[in-house]
Amino acid sequence: MVQGRGYALVCLVAVCGTYCLAWKPNSPMDTENGKHTLLLHTPNTSESCERRVKVSSMDLWSASLDDVLAGLPIDPVRENYVRRVKDCIFSRVYPTPFISEVQLVAVSEDVLENLLDLDTSVANTTDFLRFVSGSKLISGFVPLAHRYGGHQFGVWAGQLGDGRAHLISTYINRYGERWELQLKGSGKTPYSRNGDGRAVLRSSVREFLCSEAMHYLGIPTSRAASLVVSNDAIWRDQFYNRNVKKERGAVVLRVAKSWFRFGSLEVLTNSGEFYLLRKLVDFIIKEHFLSISPADPNKVLVFFSKVVSQTADMIAQWMSVGFAHGVCNTDNFSLLSITIDYGPFGFMENYDADYVPNTSDDEGRYKIGAQANVGMFNLNKLLLALKPLMDNRQEQLALKILSDFPNLYYQRFTELYRAKLGLLGASEEDLTLIASFLNLMEDTKADFTMSFRQLSEITRWQLESVTIPQEHWALSSISQHMEFPAWVSAYLLRLKSNPDDSDSGRRERMTATNPRYVLRNWMAESAVRKAEKNDFSEVRQLQNVLRKPFQTQKMAELAGYAQKAPGWAKDLKVSCSS
């Protein structure tokens, strides 16, 4: 501590410079309930990061008060009631604390330590619990709810917005990364429509676990810092069959670089607010697409091109792990192409291109095999939203860019599946090899995740003799197919073309690509059922297992996480209700 002129300075040496947390005890803006809050300043220096400092008290942690979002228009109406909002990007609205006592269910140590510079010991404090449940706010930052619209199940739904989410802080960490902290399930906003602004425990457990699981699978995603539960009564008709039940309210603290989505732009175009549209697009390009020059007359076109490419990549990555989002509406598609808004998702078990995790999706619009098509539909709606910012030439070029989406998706999909099969380089027969293996899986109703994983673990000698050990239960079921020996022959021949490769090298490479554990719906449901009885042990167990999805873990094996789904999970259903 360096004392002087009423300041106590704590300087953190970081990659992007020295962060000075300046305490000004005489300033009313810097205190809350008689406690001092530290303000974050980021002077420009070129010092490198030689040590990492984590804050051990919420009193020593603060939001970025000079936040870039302050330049975006905010709704002048201060009252919190449901209404149609115009001419703004955000509304000021405060979270509604729970009435009953809240309980911390789980935290992500990685998010706390490496994104938010918080020592994990902070999670044991009352201040932290109050902050992540919405009853304690960071001094100087006014919570915001974002206004957006969207196409839901192919139909324009008009104004939607953060109906149960509050942006409670932005934070610039020691690496110079800016993160937006958002509570989900934290109460009503002007965008709540007929909802109560709450989220229930079952959906919150699923969101917390899946967003973290996807991160460790290497899929671009929002993160989850914490999960808290209350005893407040929340009434839900889970399957829309008039069977309303009392559930417990919960809140997840979500973290992302940005929460802007396709619908953020759609609502502005549909409302004729073209000045705001230009302002928001310029802002997003400046803050999140640094390779695009703000002075480039084609910047909107380049922006669209990047979103098209990154969306193709994101969906291909979903498909590489058998992930079905469940509700691919335009309001659930991020402009930064990260996976957001986890609801009735599912990881496919038996391979089925028609797999639909969401029982609310009667038409199967968002089945796993349709996700790329839906991505193109959503990008078309994004292009329509951007149209007022383009001239005729740019619009025609944008249409050509969009028409190339299938090729971009196909190339990335093929690249990922080559890796799943352990193939090096590229060969003309690769697509046939990939498609044939998927067909074998489909015909035998083999498990998607474990078929690839067990192919990663089996030796070349076992494949050559078509001797599949019983413990490789998924691959064993495929081996019963009459065309399996022919596929194995073609596969082994292709493997011989891998330059300077060995069987051990292939297996090591494939096991690092094909996970052994994913968040299957039955696993999440098992954790939810225990959590509803105030037993959070399986939530935490799954969290630990899914942090290392590619490594065989004794605890996970004992729990059966790499085995067939138990009988009770056969008719398991999830819905949009949360």
Side-chain angles (χ1 to χ4, degrees), residues 66-77:
D66 298 325
D67 191 68
V68 292
L69 292 179
L72 296 175
I74 296 178
D75 181 8
V77 179

Side-chain angles (χ1 to χ4, degrees), residues 1-2 9-21 47-55 113-114 117 171 173-176:
M1 284 278 184
V2 180
L9 297 180
V10 181
C11 293
L12 309 182
V13 180
V15 170
C16 64
T18 302
Y19 292 125
C20 291
L21 297 174
E47 294 183 48
S48 62
C49 180
E50 297 178 356
R51 61 191 177 96
R52 299 180 178 182
V53 179
K54 300 185 186 75
V55 175
E113 293 188 349
N114 296 317
D117 298 332
Y171 181 70
N173 67 14
R174 62 186 182 272
Y175 306 114

Side-chain angles (χ1 to χ4, degrees), residues 329-350:
N329 297 328
T330 58
D331 55 292
N332 294 334
F333 261 47
S334 161
L335 286 169
L336 272 59
S337 302
I338 61 173
T339 314
I340 59 172
D341 296 349
Y342 292 90
F345 64 83
F347 283 88
M348 177 172 58
E349 297 205 24
N350 297 340

Side-chain angles (χ1 to χ4, degrees), residues 330-384:
T330 58
D331 55 292
N332 294 334
F333 261 47
S334 161
L335 286 169
L336 272 59
S337 302
I338 61 173
T339 314
I340 59 172
D341 296 349
Y342 292 90
F345 64 83
F347 283 88
M348 177 172 58
E349 297 205 24
N350 297 340
Y351 180 80
D352 180 5
D354 292 327
Y355 169 61
V356 180
N358 180 7
T359 58
S360 304
D361 186 3
D362 297 328
E363 299 177 358
R365 177 181 178 83
Y366 297 142
K367 62 186 178 183
I368 192 168
Q371 290 186 131
N373 289 336
V374 170
M376 189 163 182
F377 174 91
N378 289 352
L379 287 164
N380 180 62
K381 298 305 178 186
L382 175 62
L383 176 54
L384 291 175

Side-chain angles (χ1 to χ4, degrees), residues 6-289:
Y7 286 74
L9 297 180
V10 181
C11 293
L12 309 182
V13 180
V15 170
C16 64
T18 302
Y19 292 125
C20 291
L21 297 174
W23 173 27
K24 303 178 184 180
N26 298 321
S27 172
M29 284 294 293
D30 307 338
T31 60
E32 180 184 0
N33 300 324
K35 298 179 179 180
H36 299 298
T37 303
L38 297 178
L39 305 183
L40 184 64
H41 300 277
T42 56
N44 293 320
T45 75
S46 58
E47 294 183 48
S48 62
C49 180
E50 297 178 356
R51 61 191 177 96
R52 299 180 178 182
V53 179
K54 300 185 186 75
V55 175
S56 58
S57 168
M58 288 302 293
D59 290 331
L60 303 178
W61 187 92
S62 75
S64 173
L65 298 184
D66 298 325
D67 191 68
V68 292
L69 292 179
L72 296 175
I74 296 178
D75 181 8
V77 179
R78 300 297 184 95
E79 291 79 11
N80 184 13
Y81 64 93
V82 174
R83 62 188 183 275
R84 187 171 181 223
V85 180
K86 290 276 290 180
D87 301 317
C88 68
I89 305 299
F90 296 105
S91 293
R92 292 184 180 91
V93 59
Y94 288 83
T96 304
F98 287 117
I99 297 173
S100 63
E101 184 177 355
V102 294
Q103 182 177 356
L104 183 66
V105 174
V107 297
S108 168
E109 294 182 1
D110 181 49
V111 173
L112 294 189
E113 293 188 349
N114 296 317
L115 271 59
L116 304 181
D117 298 332
L118 288 169
D119 191 278
T120 52
S121 63
V122 171
N124 299 321
T125 66
T126 301
D127 276 352
F128 179 81
L129 184 60
R130 291 179 60 217
F131 176 63
V132 299
S133 60
S135 64
K136 174 186 173 68
L137 299 175
I138 296 298
S139 177
F141 190 93
V142 178
L144 302 170
H146 175 40
R147 172 191 173 215
Y148 55 83
H151 280 79
Q152 298 192 325
F153 292 90
V155 178
W156 175 244
Q159 175 182 288
L160 298 168
D162 289 336
R164 54 177 173 169
H166 296 77
L167 180 64
I168 58 166
S169 177
T170 60
Y171 181 70
I172 300 174
N173 67 14
R174 62 186 182 272
Y175 306 114
E177 300 167 338
R178 180 184 170 279
W179 295 97
E180 296 183 1
L181 284 66
Q182 185 190 75
L183 297 179
K184 182 176 179 179
S186 45
K188 286 187 175 183
T189 76
Y191 310 101
S192 294
R193 294 179 287 171
N194 296 320
D196 58 14
R198 293 300 188 190
V200 295
L201 178 60
R202 59 180 160 81
S203 65
S204 301
V205 166
R206 287 168 54 83
E207 169 132 14
F208 177 84
L209 288 175
C210 197
S211 53
E212 288 301 284
M214 290 283 274
H215 168 72
Y216 289 106
L217 286 169
I219 313 294
T221 179
S222 60
R223 303 292 302 275
S226 64
L227 167 63
V228 298
V229 64
S230 74
N231 286 320
D232 283 27
I234 309 297
W235 297 91
R236 288 291 184 272
D237 181 359
Q238 183 176 357
F239 297 112
Y240 305 104
N241 57 3
R242 299 182 182 180
N243 184 20
V244 180
K245 292 183 178 180
K246 183 173 72 171
E247 303 189 51
R248 300 170 71 186
V251 169
V252 175
L253 175 58
R254 312 194 298 181
V255 181
K257 292 288 183 69
S258 171
W259 294 100
F260 289 126
R261 63 243 0 246
F262 290 13
S264 302
L265 306 182
E266 283 186 286
V267 73
L268 301 177
T269 298
N270 277 272
S271 300
E273 299 169 37
F274 303 130
Y275 167 76
L276 261 188
L277 175 68
R278 170 71 70 181
K279 187 177 184 68
L280 182 55
V281 170
D282 286 349
F283 171 86
I284 292 169
I285 291 173
K286 179 182 177 183
E287 295 299 327
H288 301 291
F289 292 81

